[in-house]
Amino acid sequence: MATTNAVIDWIKEIKHTNFVNMDGTNPTAKMVDNARFGGYVGLVWAAMHGIFIHPPSAGMALLSAANKTALFAIMGATFAGTTSALASATGHDRKLNYFVGGCTAGTFLGVRSKSIAVGAQGCVFFGGLAALRKFYDENGWEFR
């Protein structure tokens, strides 16, 4: 139970760093924070993959973990960079910026897998998820 509370506290701390306000100021710090968070997500994904789908060797497990960590870190940095650049260019912090940033990050999955269908699905999913998150933040709602 203590571990669960520590994870929840860590997520709340991250929420207040550079996730909430992608207004075009300090984009480098926001890209680094989002890349770091994406790297953590990639590590968790790799750990779950290693538990449920046993790789043939330890080397393959490490390679898979590095691959997933880098993929999600790049997606996080892409999201933050695109969203911050749009906010800086338009002068507005709005849901459309988040959708385009999420869409760009999701499209990177399609590039990585060499599939237009995966890229389109990633665009819709991550773009919609990011715009929904911005909607929640604008209305003062919290995830519990």
Side-chain angles (χ1 to χ4, degrees):
M1 192 64 169
T3 306
T4 305
N5 290 337
V7 169
I8 291 171
D9 290 341
W10 176 74
I11 290 171
K12 286 180 181 177
E13 177 186 330
I14 285 179
K15 180 182 175 186
H16 296 293
T17 55
N18 285 319
F19 281 145
V20 176
N21 192 10
M22 297 281 185
D23 58 357
T25 60
N26 201 6
T28 305
K30 293 174 184 176
M31 287 177 66
V32 169
D33 282 350
N34 280 282
R36 184 175 55 204
F37 181 73
Y40 293 146
V41 170
L43 280 174
V44 170
W45 185 275
M48 298 307 288
H49 186 263
I51 290 170
F52 294 114
I53 301 172
H54 302 290
S57 68
M60 291 296 291
L62 288 175
L63 185 62
S64 175
N67 186 12
K68 287 172 180 50
T69 301
L71 172 67
F72 281 97
I74 290 170
M75 286 177 61
T78 302
F79 166 74
T82 305
T83 305
S84 292
L86 282 172
S88 179
T90 61
H92 300 293
D93 183 25
R94 55 187 177 187
K95 292 181 282 294
L96 179 62
N97 298 349
Y98 282 70
F99 179 80
V100 173
C103 184
T104 306
T107 304
F108 186 77
L109 279 176
V111 171
R112 176 71 175 84
S113 64
K114 299 177 184 163
S115 169
I116 293 174
V118 171
Q121 292 170 5
C123 172
V124 170
F125 177 75
F126 287 109
L129 189 65
L132 184 63
R133 168 67 191 269
K134 179 64 176 170
F135 179 76
Y136 272 74
D137 288 338
E138 285 179 347
N139 291 313
W141 299 344
E142 291 187 13
F143 292 105
R144 293 181 184 213

